[in-house]
């Protein structure tokens, strides 16, 4: 294919206020890129055994994704390596033209949260954090990191949080929603205690092979079902954290649902509120209605933006969620990424656009 | 409608495209099995460059479980969200009335010898005549 590129012009004008991108995925250049951050013992393990993920298919994901590595077809760096692996190209293609003031990295490589060998998982989590610092944060001051932890081993997770939090450039603790148990369970509470103590929100990103089917009825047939089934983890996370009393115990804890959507939240919470009014005796440890906890403790990234046929319906959804709860994200370099100039199909005032594209993240992450 | 020169047919082999900027607009000219189609190089959904998409066919099915691939090489898939466009019309496959990318007319003509070419002997004239023999692609903008 012969393609002559011209410089990007004009398209980013609506985002000239500068955006904060709350979901950017860095990838290692190759499978051994994390070796400098792994002990020799785990390098050998990686060579001899590889990862042991809780998933039903060996050496592949459950579905043929719509694009190679689920990435934009124009995001492959000219110098080689997979999308998201070349900082210079990321700057040229994404950070500069979109006027990205801050970008929060969310590394998904290796599926640390799904690794069954917990010693290896701990080593991988540490390696991911050191790799983010050395190869990303230190090379572009716009970048911030998500703290990778082994959520199935909260004691080790807390140690890793203590080790990394002092850096100041880790802005949230990353958890996967397809967890071993619903995320409200007390086994995870040490992580939440550390998160609250360090003022770090939880960033719960809709990925994670996790061993569990994306639906309660098992594995669906098509990727189209899987892609939006990731949203189904959202209500499970939200109801578990509310009902188990996480926010009674940790009243300053903040949760960001990343790439889990947001339009499902109002109807889901209406239902929870009605149930709570009738059955609150079952959960007497809750002081407030579920909607009160949700409004106080949850934030949502915007990508993939819900696109109703009548775009103005989105405004009513934002009204319910709270305009201060939406954090703009692109999901660069994945195929379903959102361009801030086009993502909102409804009209936004400059103030509204600035609040969602920038202001809310500045407040939440204290940029 | 004024015609703008895109380039030689030989520059755009079947299955490929060439991007030109004409009057401030980026236009991607595709060779679909020898026929040329020109589309605005911007996906109407979120603005991705259509020139970076892949060209595919159209899977069709009368009933679940039976599939056939039709129109190979005629459908362009956006490099981002996978919106599919009919290269021959610019219309979205899924929503042909509601979503389409602007299409421009193309034509293939022989290029007239440029009057200001100052041929300087046989060699130059021969080289120039080779260029004149090539079919040249134009686009109306």
């Amino acid at each position: 294919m012969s393609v002559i590129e011209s410089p990007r012009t004009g398209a980013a004008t609506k985002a000239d206020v500068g955006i904060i991108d709350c979901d950017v995925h860095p990838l290692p250049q190759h499978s051994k890129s994390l070796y400098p951050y792994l002990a020799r013992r785990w390098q050998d393990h990686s060579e001899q055994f590889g990862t042991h993920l809780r998933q039903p298919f060996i050496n592949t994901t459950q579905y043929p994704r719509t694009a190679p590595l689920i990435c934009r077809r124009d995001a492959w760096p000219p110098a080689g390596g997979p999308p998201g692996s070349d900082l210079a190209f990321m700057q040229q293609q994404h950070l500069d033209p979109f006027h990205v003031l801050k970008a929060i990295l969310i590394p998904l490589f290796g599926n640390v949260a799904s690794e069954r060998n917990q010693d290896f998982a701990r080593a991988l989590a540490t390696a991911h954090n050191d790799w983010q610092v050395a190869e990303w944060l230190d090379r572009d001051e716009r970048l911030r990191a998500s703290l990778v932890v082994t959520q199935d081993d909260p004691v080790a997770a807390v140690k890793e949080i203590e080790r990394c939090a002092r850096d100041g450039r880790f802005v949230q603790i990353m958890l996967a929603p397809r967890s071993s148990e619903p995320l409200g369970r007390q086994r995870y509470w040490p992580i939440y205690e550390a998160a609250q103590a360090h003022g770090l929100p939880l960033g719960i990103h809709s990925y994670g092979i996790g061993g569990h089917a994306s639906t309660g009825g098992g594995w669906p047939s098509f990727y189209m079902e899987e892609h939006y089934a990731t949203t189904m983890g959202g209500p499970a996370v939200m109801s578990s954290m509310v009902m188990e009393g996480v926010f009674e115990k940790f009243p300053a804890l903040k949760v960001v649902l990343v790439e889990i959507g947001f339009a499902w939240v109002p109807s889901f919470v209406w239902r929870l509120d009605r149930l709570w009014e009738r059955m609150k005796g079952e959960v007497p440890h809750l002081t407030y209605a579920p909607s009160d906890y949700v409004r106080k403790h949850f934030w949502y990234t915007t990508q993939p933006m819900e696109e109703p046929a009548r775009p103005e319906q989105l405004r009513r959804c934002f009204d319910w969620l709270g305009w201060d709860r939406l954090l703009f994200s692109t999901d660069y370099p994945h195929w379903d990424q959102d361009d801030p100039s086009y993502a909102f199909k409804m009209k936004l005032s400059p103030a509204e656009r600035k609040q969602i594209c920038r202001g809310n993240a500045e407040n939440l992450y204290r940029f | 409608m004024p015609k703008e020169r895109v380039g030689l047919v030989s520059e755009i082999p079947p299955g490929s495209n060439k991007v030109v900027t004409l009057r401030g607009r980026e236009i991607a000219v595709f060779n679909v099995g020898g026929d040329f189609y020109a589309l605005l190089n911007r996906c109407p959904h979120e603005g991705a460059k259509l020139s970076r998409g892949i060209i595919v066919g159209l899977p069709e099915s009368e009933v679940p479980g039976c599939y056939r691939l039709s129109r190979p090489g005629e459908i362009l898939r956006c490099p981002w969200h996978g919106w599919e466009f009919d290269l021959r019309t610019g219309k979205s496959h899924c929503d042909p009335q509601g979503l389409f990318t602007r299409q421009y007319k193309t034509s293939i003509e022989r290029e007239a010898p440029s009057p200001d070419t100052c041929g300087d002997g046989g060699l130059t004239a021969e080289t120039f005549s080779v260029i004149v023999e090539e079919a040249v692609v134009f686009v109306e903008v």
Side-chain angles (χ1 to χ4, degrees):
Chain A
M1 183 184 297
S2 65
V3 172
I4 299 167
E5 290 287 358
S6 63
R8 185 190 178 88
T9 52
T13 47
K14 286 183 184 170
D16 275 348
V17 293
I19 66 167
I20 292 175
D21 187 347
C22 295
D23 188 14
V24 169
H25 297 297
L27 257 183
Q29 290 227 319
H30 51 79
S31 61
K32 296 183 180 177
S33 291
L34 288 176
Y35 281 14
Y37 313 97
L38 275 175
R40 181 62 191 268
R41 185 256 178 281
W42 296 115
Q43 294 178 25
D44 289 346
H45 179 90
S46 193
E47 296 286 329
Q48 292 177 42
F49 302 101
T51 53
H52 290 65
L53 304 180
R54 287 185 293 253
Q55 69 176 78
F57 307 104
I58 304 295
N59 289 333
T60 182
T61 51
Q62 308 95 314
Y63 298 95
R65 306 302 195 185
T66 193
L69 283 178
I70 65 168
C71 284
R72 281 168 55 167
R73 288 183 184 273
D74 57 353
W76 297 79
S85 68
D86 180 335
L87 175 60
F89 186 63
M90 182 188 284
Q91 291 163 334
Q92 175 201 330
Q93 184 175 48
H94 186 65
L95 301 178
D96 297 342
F98 284 141
H99 306 284
V100 175
L101 302 172
K102 293 275 186 296
I104 299 177
L105 302 175
I106 297 189
L108 302 178
F109 173 75
N111 278 293
V112 176
S114 295
E115 172 60 43
R116 293 167 70 179
N117 181 325
Q118 286 294 287
D119 287 324
F120 187 35
R122 284 186 281 272
L124 278 175
T126 299
H128 269 88
N129 293 327
D130 291 344
W131 169 75
Q132 287 188 90
V133 168
E135 302 197 19
W136 297 91
L137 304 186
D138 285 350
R139 293 171 58 203
D140 190 317
E141 62 181 17
R142 291 171 287 189
L143 301 178
R144 293 293 181 273
S146 299
L147 214 162
V148 180
V149 298
T150 43
Q151 64 194 43
D152 278 346
D153 183 348
V155 175
V158 169
K159 276 188 196 165
E160 187 65 10
I161 293 165
E162 300 292 341
R163 186 182 78 89
C164 296
R166 68 175 76 108
D167 181 289
R169 290 173 294 176
F170 289 91
V171 297
Q172 64 188 1
I173 296 162
M174 183 178 149
L175 298 178
R178 288 192 205 176
S179 42
S180 299
E181 292 181 44
L183 280 177
R185 301 298 291 268
Q186 293 192 18
R187 63 175 290 184
Y188 301 114
W189 286 16
I191 297 175
Y192 306 154
E193 186 175 11
Q196 178 176 266
H198 290 280
L200 292 170
L202 306 177
I204 300 178
H205 185 282
S206 78
Y207 95 112
I209 291 166
H212 305 291
S214 47
T215 79
W219 300 92
S221 300
F222 303 109
Y223 175 52
M224 189 182 284
E225 296 174 278
E226 158 76 8
H227 187 258
Y228 286 102
T230 56
T231 294
M232 293 180 188
V237 167
M238 183 174 274
S239 64
S240 175
M241 295 187 83
V242 169
M243 295 301 170
E244 299 272 1
V246 167
F247 304 111
E248 282 294 318
K249 182 75 177 175
F250 308 107
L253 188 64
K254 297 171 177 177
V255 181
V256 183
L257 297 184
V258 185
E259 206 175 338
I260 299 184
F262 48 82
W264 53 269
V265 176
S267 62
F268 177 68
V269 175
W270 297 335
R271 189 170 290 250
L272 280 188
D273 275 5
R274 292 294 84 75
L275 291 169
W276 178 75
E277 285 168 2
R278 291 166 202 168
M279 300 181 223
K280 58 181 148 188
E282 190 188 13
V283 283
H285 50 275
L286 297 190
T287 310
Y288 308 105
S291 58
D292 293 328
Y293 294 104
V294 168
R295 280 208 171 93
K296 183 176 174 207
H297 294 278
F298 283 88
W299 279 254
Y300 315 90
T301 64
T302 56
Q303 181 280 337
M305 184 82 71
E306 268 96 343
E307 296 179 31
R310 282 187 282 165
E312 283 299 317
Q313 289 172 336
L314 210 53
R315 175 172 291 279
R316 299 174 68 181
C317 184
F318 288 6
D319 287 342
W320 192 94
L321 294 167
W323 285 73
D324 61 334
R325 297 285 137 164
L326 292 149
L327 309 168
F328 188 77
S329 61
T330 64
D331 196 27
Y332 178 88
H334 288 174
W335 71 270
D336 48 352
Q337 76 127 42
D338 275 337
D339 179 320
S341 306
Y342 298 90
F344 301 94
K345 306 295 185 213
M346 63 176 186
K347 282 185 182 161
L348 292 179
S349 73
E352 289 167 343
R353 180 175 293 277
K354 186 175 178 186
Q355 180 179 15
I356 293 176
C357 288
R358 174 177 171 179
N360 291 337
E362 285 176 333
N363 290 337
L364 176 66
Y365 294 111
R366 292 178 294 192
F367 289 144
Chain B
M1 201 175 277
K3 285 186 297 192
E4 299 280 358
R5 186 181 187 279
V6 172
L8 301 174
V9 166
S10 58
E11 285 177 62
I12 317 171
S16 76
N17 70 72
K18 179 178 178 179
V19 176
V20 288
T21 301
L22 301 174
R23 298 161 196 265
R25 284 165 293 189
E26 245 182 50
I27 294 169
V29 182
F30 294 84
N31 182 337
V32 182
D35 299 330
F36 287 84
Y37 298 95
L39 305 177
L40 190 66
N41 192 23
R42 199 180 75 200
C43 180
H45 176 237
E46 284 205 18
K49 290 181 189 297
L50 292 175
S51 58
R52 303 295 301 272
I54 58 168
I55 294 171
V56 297
L58 203 58
E60 292 183 305
S61 174
E62 299 298 330
V63 292
C66 295
Y67 303 94
R68 67 171 183 278
L69 191 65
S70 67
R71 305 189 57 193
E74 297 183 21
I75 306 296
L76 174 72
R77 188 180 289 162
C78 174
W80 291 6
H81 302 87
W83 282 92
E84 289 178 341
F85 297 94
D86 187 332
L87 278 167
R88 295 186 188 277
T89 63
K91 289 187 172 179
S92 154
H93 170 61
C94 292
D95 184 11
Q97 302 311 317
L99 197 74
F100 45 84
T101 184
R102 177 157 182 199
Q103 192 189 33
Y104 297 86
K105 281 187 183 171
T106 58
S107 60
I108 300 171
E109 299 177 5
R110 289 181 191 279
E111 188 164 52
S114 178
D116 59 0
T117 302
C118 43
D120 184 23
L123 186 60
T124 306
E126 265 183 31
T127 306
F128 185 71
S129 72
V130 170
I131 295 170
V132 171
E133 292 296 326
E134 284 283 349
V136 178
V137 184
F138 291 89
V139 61
E140 288 184 8
V141 292

